[in-house]
Amino acid sequence: MREIAKLAGVLFVITALAAVILGFTNIATAEKIEAQVEQENLEARQEALPIADTFEEVTDSEVDNALKTPDFSSITEVYVGKKGEEIVGYTLKSTPAGYGGEVVLITGISVEGKVTGIKVVSHQETPGLGANATNPEFQNKYIDKSIDQPLAVVKTAPSKDNEIEAITGATITSSAVTTGVNTSIDLYHQYLK
């Protein structure tokens, strides 16, 4: 019985020491991780709205209240893009549900009423299928699409300007990305335009 208590005590000390070390490691790296995430988000915003030089988070109370509604709950952040002092567009981060989980994407919309680009920031989609949403060939299909009408996913070659051809074998992921873009367009029309 004493040996079991002694082993349990040793195991407790080792576990406690490991927890303390992990805690200090977390504290030491938290700022660097946060800075890296912010840098990745900035690069994604620049990719989605390349005509902008700077980005400022939109803190308008009307937009904040809209993000709390069921219609726009998948939008997690809104930034205004500027070139100098002139507003050239907006970037909106959304998290629509894909096949494997949330697809996090940033949509760029110009003040001229066009999608300037999208960037899939993260996803949990199937490798080789839904994961192809990160490929430039798919993301570039959204560039210069008008925001006058909702975008639609089709399985064949698009015949209309508002159609996006789905990724082969990943229609759910393609629809999720398009839903995120359409939700961003809706918010733009209602609160940012």
Side-chain angles (χ1 to χ4, degrees):
M1 186 72 155
R2 251 185 215 175
E3 283 188 36
I4 292 174
K6 185 178 178 182
L7 287 174
V10 170
L11 185 58
F12 174 77
V13 169
I14 292 171
T15 305
L17 185 60
V20 169
I21 291 170
L22 285 173
F24 281 122
T25 302
N26 184 45
I27 291 169
T29 59
E31 284 184 28
K32 291 178 182 179
I33 291 170
E34 188 176 320
Q36 180 64 30
V37 167
E38 182 52 39
Q39 181 62 33
E40 289 172 2
N41 283 330
L42 175 61
E43 290 171 4
R45 282 186 219 109
Q46 289 175 326
E47 196 170 321
L49 189 67
I51 54 179
D53 296 331
T54 60
F55 296 91
E56 297 172 13
E57 188 167 14
V58 173
T59 56
D60 181 85
S61 62
E62 191 175 12
V63 172
D64 287 341
N65 289 334
L67 298 182
K68 296 173 186 167
T69 65
D71 290 343
F72 300 115
S73 62
S74 68
I75 297 180
T76 60
E77 65 181 37
V78 180
Y79 278 78
V80 60
K82 295 183 177 182
K83 186 172 184 119
E85 292 299 313
E86 179 187 3
I87 294 175
V88 293
Y90 294 86
T91 62
L92 301 95
K93 182 187 271 188
S94 58
T95 58
Y99 181 76
E102 285 185 346
V103 177
V104 180
L105 72 130
I106 295 180
T107 303
I109 301 174
S110 71
V111 293
E112 285 84 27
K114 300 270 187 187
V115 175
T116 56
I118 69 161
K119 175 68 177 172
V120 175
V121 179
S122 67
H123 64 85
Q124 299 169 351
E125 302 303 278
T126 307
L129 295 173
N132 289 334
T134 60
N135 291 345
E137 296 82 34
F138 176 70
Q139 294 183 37
N140 290 344
K141 294 177 181 182
Y142 292 86
I143 296 175
D144 287 332
K145 292 291 184 182
S146 172
I147 62 168
D148 293 336
Q149 57 184 327
L151 300 177
V153 175
V154 295
K155 292 184 180 183
T156 59
S159 60
K160 297 179 184 172
D161 288 339
N162 70 321
E163 293 179 340
I164 302 291
E165 185 175 357
I167 300 168
T168 304
T171 305
I172 294 172
T173 304
S174 303
S175 294
V177 171
T178 302
T179 296
V181 173
N182 282 333
T183 303
S184 297
I185 290 170
D186 290 345
L187 184 83
Y188 174 84
H189 279 306
Q190 292 183 40
Y191 296 99
L192 302 171
K193 191 172 180 181

